[in-house]
């Protein structure tokens, strides 16, 4: 089955800096890669996703890049703010017929210092 | 509109007891997923429903775990003879799926299960 590795496990940045989180996946059939933000005691929130027919996607301060050949994808957050502090999870799935069981990475604890 | 809801938010039970956890998906979402999240870990897949049928239950850890979705909307996860190792947050997610083909998943707030 699919295996997703995520790093770093913790990331500390100063407000205004950029943050990058990287994930690798094992199953070349995976074609959908979402990122979730989870604050303490809250539900995972979908913040951005990318499909395998696209190499990069951007939404304001957040961007995701995908390298299918190397089987890795990354989350980039620019101009970080204290409210960006949370645990971020990457995930991968094969959505061949609208079905997308997600396999998650281990999570990255992002701390943005004011 | 309303998001995914789950009840109860917290459940404390004694070892060996039976529990039911409920999930109300986003209206119109045909796909429903259950995940389990242990402290400091990412969610782990348990079971997937497309409509009323369990299309993939490969993540259920053993036969003490069972889930139903009789009318293709609300789902109930049932755990028999609970063990301390079952303690975790149980998350439900729903997805538009058919006929749109969109498979992004939206999560509920979870039920924190504690087995004493």
């Amino acid at each position: 089955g699919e295996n997703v590795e995520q790093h770093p496990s913790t990331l500390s940045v100063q407000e205004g800096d950029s943050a990058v989180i990287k994930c690798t996946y094992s199953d070349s059939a995976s074609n959908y890669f979402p990122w979730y933000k989870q604050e303490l005691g809250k539900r995972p929130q979908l913040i951005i996703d990318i499909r395998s027919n696209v190499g990069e996607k951007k939404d304001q301060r957040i961007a995701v890049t995908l390298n299918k050949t190397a089987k890795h994808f990354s989350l980039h957050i620019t101009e970080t703010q204290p409210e960006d502090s949370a645990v971020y999870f990457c995930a991968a799935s094969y959505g061949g017929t609208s079905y997308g069981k997600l396999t998650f990475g281990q999570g990255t604890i992002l701390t943005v210092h004011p | 509109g309303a998001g995914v809801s789950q009840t109860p938010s917290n459940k404390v039970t004694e070892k060996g007891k039976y529990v039911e956890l409920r999930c109300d998906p986003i209206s119109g979402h045909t796909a429903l997923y259950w995940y389990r999240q242990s402290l400091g870990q990412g969610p782990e897949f348990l079971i997937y429903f497309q409509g009323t049928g369990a299309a993939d239950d490969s993540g259920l850890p053993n036969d003490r775990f069972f889930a139903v979705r009789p009318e293709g909307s609300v789902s109930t996860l049932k755990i028999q003879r609970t063990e301390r190792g079952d303690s975790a947050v149980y998350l439900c997610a729903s997805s538009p799926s058919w006929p749109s083909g969109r498979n992004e998943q939206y999560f509920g707030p979870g039920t924190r299960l504690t087995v004493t």
Side-chain angles (χ1 to χ4, degrees):
Chain A
E2 176 66 281
N3 183 54
V4 177
E5 298 288 333
Q6 181 174 348
H7 61 93
S9 56
T10 61
L11 180 58
S12 183
V13 301
Q14 288 297 126
E15 182 176 1
D17 289 349
S18 295
V20 180
I21 303 170
K22 299 182 180 182
C23 290
T24 60
Y25 61 98
S26 61
D27 190 346
S28 57
S30 289
N31 60 5
Y32 175 65
F33 308 92
W35 286 87
Y36 286 86
K37 174 184 179 182
Q38 189 174 31
E39 298 176 8
L40 191 63
K42 305 285 187 175
R43 73 185 76 195
Q45 282 185 292
L46 178 66
I47 57 172
I48 195 166
D49 58 12
I50 192 167
R51 299 178 195 276
S52 60
N53 58 346
V54 175
E56 183 173 359
K57 183 177 178 180
K58 189 173 181 180
D59 182 4
Q60 299 184 337
R61 296 187 297 111
I62 294 173
V64 57
T65 59
L66 171 65
N67 183 327
K68 286 170 51 181
T69 303
K71 288 189 283 189
H72 69 68
F73 56 112
S74 299
L75 177 71
H76 303 253
I77 306 174
T78 59
E79 301 171 26
T80 53
Q81 302 168 1
E83 51 265 39
D84 294 330
S85 297
V87 182
Y88 290 81
F89 291 98
C90 63
S93 77
Y94 170 67
T97 54
S98 307
Y99 163 50
K101 170 178 84 174
L102 293 173
T103 301
F104 284 83
Q106 300 89 335
T108 296
I109 302 171
L110 173 64
T111 304
V112 181
H113 298 282
Chain B
V4 179
S5 61
Q6 293 185 245
T7 54
S9 55
N10 280 283
K11 177 70 177 179
V12 181
T13 191
E14 291 181 349
K15 179 176 176 297
K17 298 292 188 182
Y18 167 83
V19 297
E20 290 189 352
L21 312 179
R22 176 187 166 109
C23 172
D24 277 272
I26 293 172
S27 178
H29 281 193
T30 58
L32 185 146
Y33 302 80
W34 284 98
Y35 294 84
R36 180 167 71 174
Q37 186 174 28
S38 299
L39 193 64
Q41 303 292 319
E44 292 180 308
F45 170 78
L46 295 176
I47 188 169
Y48 153 68
F49 289 89
Q50 180 62 262
T52 60
D56 182 354
D57 64 358
S58 62
L60 295 178
N62 52 60
D63 61 7
R64 295 187 298 104
F65 288 75
F66 189 71
V68 295
R69 193 186 186 199
E71 297 179 355
S73 179
V74 171
S75 177
T76 304
L77 178 65
K78 308 181 181 195
I79 311 174
Q80 299 178 318
R81 305 183 302 281
T82 52
E83 299 177 356
R84 293 195 180 87
D86 298 336
S87 297
V89 175
Y90 289 81
L91 293 164
C92 175
S94 70
S95 177
S97 190
W98 190 88
S100 66
R102 291 169 48 201
N103 57 352
E104 65 269 23
Q105 296 182 28
Y106 299 95
F107 281 83
T111 293
R112 180 175 300 278
L113 175 66
T114 303
V115 182
T116 63

